[in-house]
Amino acid sequence: MKPLKIGITGVRGIVGETFTPEVAVGFAQAFGTYLDSGRILVCRDTRVSGPMVRSAVVAGLLAAGCEVIDLGICPTPSLQLAVTWLKADGGIAVTAGHNPSAWNALKFVRADGLYLNPLQAEELLDIFHQGEFAKASWDVIQPAIQYQDPIEHHIELLTKTFDTSAISARRFKVAVDCCNGACSRLIPRWLAELGCEILAINDDPNGAFPHRPEPTPETMAQLSAVVKAGHADIGFAHDADGERLGIVTELGNALSEESTLALATRIRLEQGAGAVVTNISTTGAIEQIAARYGGSVVRTQVGQTYISEAIIENDAILGGEGSGGVTVPQVHLTHDSAAAIGLILEGLARSGEPVSEIVQQLPRVFMLKHNLAVEPNRLYSVLQDFRVAIEKEQLPYDLADGIRVDLPQGWIHVRASNTESLIRIIVEAEDATKAHRLLDWVRDRLNR
């Protein structure tokens, strides 16, 4: 399988197979054309292919007559904040986020710092496929690009949002695994600003990923060991571009990525009631937490774009997804692991409780996630066959995003991945036995 994934999250694939310099140049030209050759920011994460892809993107933008400002290696949220700060028309983040090293991607950001919505993404794709790009003449092409570092600006906004004095007073000892990604340039500085003692591992932006850059319990073994050995109050794990956050308790327990939003929801709703936005794949514990604190929950399709727009529509106080992405609207309307850290440390500082005790008070549900590798051209036929099987059993289902089925013993969600050639299966029940039965039930029907 050599997939090139094109969708509202941008375009991504395996470098040297389907994700080539020609693809990067073409999409950059299309984006420059779409934005009428405006001022465009570019950043990248630390993967080996980053300099090559960044060069291709800059070439495409310059060819389309754009003014390019290079932010270098920085988290995608830093670029998103810098779009309004530098009065840019948009930005391109060269990053495949949580995907392994072989992958790279382009994420497209509009003038308000948010990702393109589905309609805008379709317009960009139309320009790309038509191949009719703006072409700057030789005497109009920008002779040089500018350079800016957005990290300090990002930290200034975070500092204005959270109670830094309360956090500093607690003198937290924090272990952090930046996976040698873009957060290596932001998170240690942010934690130092918060007066934390820092136990940092994998914080070299010139190093290779020491493990898959996805903050899940499976990738947090090293961080757990550091938390225990260093007697840290908490551990934080990051993906390659600063959107997802994983947590290790002071006891060294690596939490499910679903727990990040659940913990953030509990902390945020304790400060005041309001709406929380999440997607239909995220744990039902969010509803239970919201009910306990007088809040409400809005569910969307999977994808950060949908979360951002629903936060705006519902004037929500928090957003996020079960992947570990958390959106704190007071900072900005996108997933930002640095903002999530600020919210969580602020909550711990105010409560005085260790993180393990707060986690113990969260609703007890059991979720299983399973990925089924499928050839790109079969993804939707497999989903259709599953839908037919569900209909034969006369079960009600929801087609808002993939297929969701609510059963007496729990719920299941089956959908095509936005980022890889996979069918993602998520099941949740009140205990492990019921969850495993649900997963077997789904797999039986997918394998028919």
Side-chain angles (χ1 to χ4, degrees), residues 97-267:
H98 66 284
N99 288 123
S101 303
W103 290 72
N104 216 327
L106 308 181
K107 297 181 180 181
F108 301 103
V109 175
R110 62 196 200 195
D112 59 0
L114 303 183
Y115 289 127
L116 302 185
N117 65 31
L119 180 60
Q120 293 163 335
E122 284 296 328
E123 291 172 346
L124 175 62
L125 283 177
D126 285 346
I127 294 171
F128 173 77
H129 289 306
Q130 288 166 9
E132 295 294 326
F133 307 135
K135 295 182 178 65
S137 61
W138 67 270
D139 56 338
V140 173
I141 292 174
Q142 296 286 319
I145 61 175
Q146 303 173 51
Y147 295 89
Q148 288 277 1
D149 187 347
I151 299 296
E152 196 60 43
H153 174 252
H154 195 163
I155 290 174
E156 283 176 14
L157 290 175
L158 291 167
T159 303
K160 290 175 184 175
T161 303
F162 300 105
D163 189 348
T164 55
S165 58
I167 298 169
S168 295
R170 280 292 304 274
R171 305 187 71 81
F172 288 112
K173 183 184 284 190
V174 179
V176 59
D177 180 355
C178 296
C179 198
N180 292 335
C183 280
S184 302
R185 297 197 57 242
L186 169 65
I187 299 303
R189 286 174 63 181
W190 171 221
L191 290 172
E193 186 76 24
L194 293 172
C196 300
E197 181 182 344
I198 306 160
L199 306 176
I201 56 172
N202 305 319
D203 60 339
D204 178 7
N206 297 310
F209 296 156
H211 48 73
R212 183 183 171 106
E214 184 171 16
T216 64
E218 295 73 32
T219 64
M220 291 194 281
Q222 187 184 8
L223 180 63
S224 296
V226 171
V227 168
K228 286 193 281 191
H231 304 289
D233 296 296
I234 194 168
F236 293 120
H238 297 269
D239 64 356
D241 77 325
E243 292 187 340
R244 300 184 179 195
L245 184 71
I247 297 171
V248 173
T249 72
E250 84 285 358
L251 303 177
N253 296 325
L255 302 180
S256 158
E257 60 272 28
E258 294 286 331
S259 300
T260 303
L261 180 61
L263 179 62
T265 298
R266 151 82 190 259
I267 289 170

